[in-house]
């Protein structure tokens, strides 16, 4: 591939950052707070804008309605915060998993009043999306069961399917809804949208602007995620990704930190689809991570850099040679064509692209040299008090 082609691929590859990735996070056993972590939506937007300025590839930020649109602040105001930071609001994430009323589920709750409450929260989220100019409504439900016999699985499926159809009916023409699946957590016996098959059936039943969201952490250990991605692509039902990495469960570690080859294989299927069909549907490449130990902004810059490297590695696979090797059943040659691409050090290409776009060749070094983290740690300590340890305590 020529540098011109590589640049076109990198110009195309936009990665949406999660607002929640800049804030203090933790596990169910507690949080370790960082002074530099964002507390307000203003701070989250500033940090997301900083990462976009350094990487040139993160023009949108995903927002969580309950966490990022505090009462009294309008969608227009939050959009203006994003614009001031040089970015835009991206996907809208309703939150139908924290309120006490959702103890027995949200859209799958046996109480129609609770289902209706969840639908009206989603309706409010769609309204925010209209006002922020977002094209994506990203739905993740924590709904599920902890014990066998707890509820009727099919009754819940029917309530859910009806609700998603209602949600689809409220989408403005420019909006797509993404149905995210997850095998377990916080439900520990049966999650109502547990796998890609359920998400696919529900999305198809909901309407033509419903697609599936693949969160890479939402699969059992041995799942072949790239095979799921290839099928969803072929069905034109892949809406987008939540990228992260995992060793054991939905660990939300930084992408490629545990198994970079898996992400490479996912990206290979996307480039392969493009090679075979000449089309590349609009896919939302979004990050969904929880940076409990790493400094938030450094983790985010690492994430973008790794995603770019793996996307380019997958792009340079020689697919003409691959087709010939496959036709000849030459297993070793076929595999080596992927391995050669994966083992290619594409960092010089990335540095060249960045320089051509007036971006720092090493965004992490540029961030560390900028003093940004120290500055915001001091500002946020003054604004919110000393929260705890962290890189710039
Ligand atoms: C949690 C859930 C899911 C969701 C995300 C943002 O597991 O991935 O997309 O929160 O709401 O990670
Ligand atoms: Mn997710
Ligand atoms: Mn998750």
């Amino acid at each position: 591939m020529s540098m011109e082609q590589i640049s076109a691929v990198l110009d195309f590859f936009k990665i949406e950052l999660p607002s929640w990735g800049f804030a203090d996070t933790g596990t169910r056993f507690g949080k370790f707070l960082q002074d530099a972590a964002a507390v307000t939506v203003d701070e989250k937007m500033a940090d997301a804008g900083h990462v976009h300025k350094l990487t040139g590839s993160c023009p949108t930020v995903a927002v969580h309605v309950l966490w990022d649109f505090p009462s009294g602040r309008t969608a227009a105001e939050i959009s203006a915060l994003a614009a001031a930071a040089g970015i835009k609001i991206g996907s809208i994430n309703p939150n139908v998993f924290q309120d006490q009323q959702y103890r027995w589920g949200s859209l799958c709750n046996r109480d129609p009043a609770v289902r209706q409450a969840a639908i009206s929260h989603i309706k409010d989220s769609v309204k925010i999306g209209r006002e922020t100019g977002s094209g994506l409504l990203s739905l993740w439900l924590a709904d599920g069961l902890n014990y066998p016999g707890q509820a009727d699985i099919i009754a819940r499926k029917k309530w859910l399917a009806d609700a998603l159809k209602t949600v689809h009916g409220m989408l403005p023409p420019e909006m797509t809804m993404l149905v995210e699946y997850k095998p377990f957590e916080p439900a520990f016996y049966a999650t109502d949208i547990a796998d890609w098959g359920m998400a696919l059936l529900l999305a198809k039943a909901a309407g033509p602007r419903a697609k599936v969201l693949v969160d890479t952490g939402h699969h059992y250990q041995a799942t072949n995620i790239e095979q799921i991605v290839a099928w969803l692509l072929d069905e034109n039902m892949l809406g987008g990704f939540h990228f992260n990495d995992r060793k054991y469960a939905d660990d939300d570690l930084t992408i490629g930190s545990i198994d970079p080859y898996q992400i490479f294989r996912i990206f290979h299927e996307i480039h392969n689809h493009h090679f075979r069909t000449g089309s590349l549907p609009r896919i939302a490449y979004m990050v969904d991570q929880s940076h409990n130990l790493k400094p938030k902004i450094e983790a985010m810059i690492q994430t973008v850099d790794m995603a770019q490297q793996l996307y380019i590695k997958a792009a340079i696979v020689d697919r003409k040679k691959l087709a010939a090797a496959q036709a000849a059943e030459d297993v070793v040659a076929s595999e080596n064509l992927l391995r050669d691409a994966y083992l290619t050090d594409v960092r010089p290409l990335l540095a060249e692209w960045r320089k051509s776009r007036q971006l720092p060749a090493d965004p992490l070094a540029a961030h560390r040299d900028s003093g940004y983290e120290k500055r915001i740690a001091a500002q946020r300590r003054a604004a919110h008090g000393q929260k705890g340890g962290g890189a710039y305590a």
Side-chain angles (χ1 to χ4, degrees), residues 275 317-325 337:
F275 175 74
V317 170
D318 186 329
R319 286 183 175 82
K320 285 206 180 87
K321 276 195 190 149
L322 181 60
L337 281 161

Side-chain angles (χ1 to χ4, degrees), residues 268-290:
H268 164 64
E269 291 305 332
I270 292 170
H271 291 297
N272 208 38
H273 176 83
H274 187 204
F275 175 74
R276 203 182 40 250
T277 66
S279 90
L280 201 52
R282 209 177 76 105
I283 301 171
Y285 295 102
M286 304 184 279
V287 173
D288 176 13
Q289 294 173 175
S290 189

Side-chain angles (χ1 to χ4, degrees), residues 64 66-67 93-100 102-103 106 121 140-143 186:
H64 237 283
L66 285 195
W67 308 332
N93 292 262
N95 182 319
V96 285
F97 52 84
Q98 273 180 295
D99 288 5
Q100 289 302 310
Y102 298 134
R103 181 178 187 183
S106 60
H121 171 71
W140 173 69
L141 308 183
D143 291 39

Side-chain angles (χ1 to χ4, degrees), residues 331-371:
V331 176
V332 170
S334 308
E335 186 200 7
N336 277 346
L337 281 161
L338 263 65
R339 280 160 45 100
D340 292 347
Y342 176 66
L343 295 173
T344 302
D345 183 357
V346 297
R347 288 174 295 183
L349 295 171
L350 207 34
E352 193 177 329
W353 171 77
R354 286 171 177 153
K355 262 188 253 152
S356 73
R357 295 315 185 257
Q358 292 74 48
L359 295 163
D362 179 343
L364 184 58
H367 166 64
R368 287 191 162 194
D369 294 345
S370 71

Side-chain angles (χ1 to χ4, degrees), residues 20 64 67 93-94 97 138 140 180 182 185 213 215 218 242 244 250 252 288:
W20 53 94
H64 237 283
W67 308 332
N93 292 262
F97 52 84
S138 191
W140 173 69
E180 183 174 3
K182 181 174 184 180
E185 191 203 29
L213 187 152
D215 183 308
H218 291 187
H242 273 174
N244 45 67
D250 185 27
D252 282 347
D288 176 13

Side-chain angles (χ1 to χ4, degrees), residues 85-123:
I87 51 178
K88 284 184 71 190
I89 302 294
S91 60
I92 304 287
N93 292 262
N95 182 319
V96 285
F97 52 84
Q98 273 180 295
D99 288 5
Q100 289 302 310
Q101 65 179 330
Y102 298 134
R103 181 178 187 183
W104 306 111
S106 60
L107 299 183
C108 305
N109 197 301
R110 70 175 72 249
D111 179 349
V114 176
R115 297 201 299 271
Q116 192 46 54
I119 289 173
S120 46
H121 171 71
I122 293 171
K123 191 171 183 178

Side-chain angles (χ1 to χ4, degrees), residues 13-246:
F13 185 52
K14 300 297 179 203
I15 304 155
E16 179 164 297
L17 302 178
S19 66
W20 53 94
F22 294 101
D24 280 314
T25 53
T27 68
R28 58 181 174 159
F29 304 106
K31 283 185 179 179
F32 291 109
L33 308 178
Q34 298 183 23
D35 286 349
V39 173
T40 65
V41 60
D42 315 62
E43 293 164 351
K44 291 175 198 172
M45 294 298 152
D47 291 356
H50 174 69
V51 173
H52 178 48
K53 214 165 32 232
L54 290 174
T55 60
S57 298
C58 309
T60 58
V61 60
V63 289
H64 237 283
V65 171
L66 285 195
W67 308 332
D68 297 327
F69 292 82
S71 55
R73 300 191 75 176
T74 65
E77 231 190 300
I78 306 301
S79 288
L81 283 177
I87 51 178
K88 284 184 71 190
I89 302 294
S91 60
I92 304 287
N93 292 262
N95 182 319
V96 285
F97 52 84
Q98 273 180 295
D99 288 5
Q100 289 302 310
Q101 65 179 330
Y102 298 134
R103 181 178 187 183
W104 306 111
S106 60
L107 299 183
C108 305
N109 197 301
R110 70 175 72 249
D111 179 349
V114 176
R115 297 201 299 271
Q116 192 46 54
I119 289 173
S120 46
H121 171 71
I122 293 171
K123 191 171 183 178
D124 294 345
S125 305
V126 170
K127 184 168 173 294
I128 288 173
R130 277 178 198 267
E131 291 161 3
T132 58
S134 301
L136 288 175
L137 176 74
S138 191
L139 294 172
W140 173 69
L141 308 183
D143 291 39
L145 311 174
N146 275 2
Y147 296 97
Q150 178 185 334
D152 184 308
I153 290 173
I154 296 309
R156 292 173 70 94
K157 172 179 177 277
K158 293 184 182 315
W159 291 323
L160 174 56
D162 287 349
L164 290 177
K165 270 194 204 102
T166 305
V167 170
H168 188 279
M170 52 175 83
L171 296 178
E174 70 281 0
M175 201 176 271
T176 297
M177 64 188 255
L178 303 181
V179 180
E180 183 174 3
Y181 59 90
K182 181 174 184 180
F184 73 97
E185 191 203 29
F188 294 112
Y189 166 64
T191 300
D192 289 293
I193 312 179
D195 66 25
W196 74 281
M198 297 175 198
L200 178 63
L201 287 171
L202 288 164
K204 278 196 171 283
R209 274 179 288 112
K211 305 243 177 181
V212 176
L213 187 152
V214 176
D215 183 308
T216 49
H218 291 187
H219 302 86
Y220 291 117
Q221 298 268 13
T223 308
N224 186 324
I225 303 175
E226 61 269 28
Q227 185 179 16
I228 295 170
V229 168
W231 273 64
L232 290 173
L233 269 170
D234 194 47
E235 294 295 325
N236 192 25
M237 288 301 288
L238 176 66
F241 292 95
H242 273 174
F243 281 118
N244 45 67
D245 211 339
R246 37 77 57 88

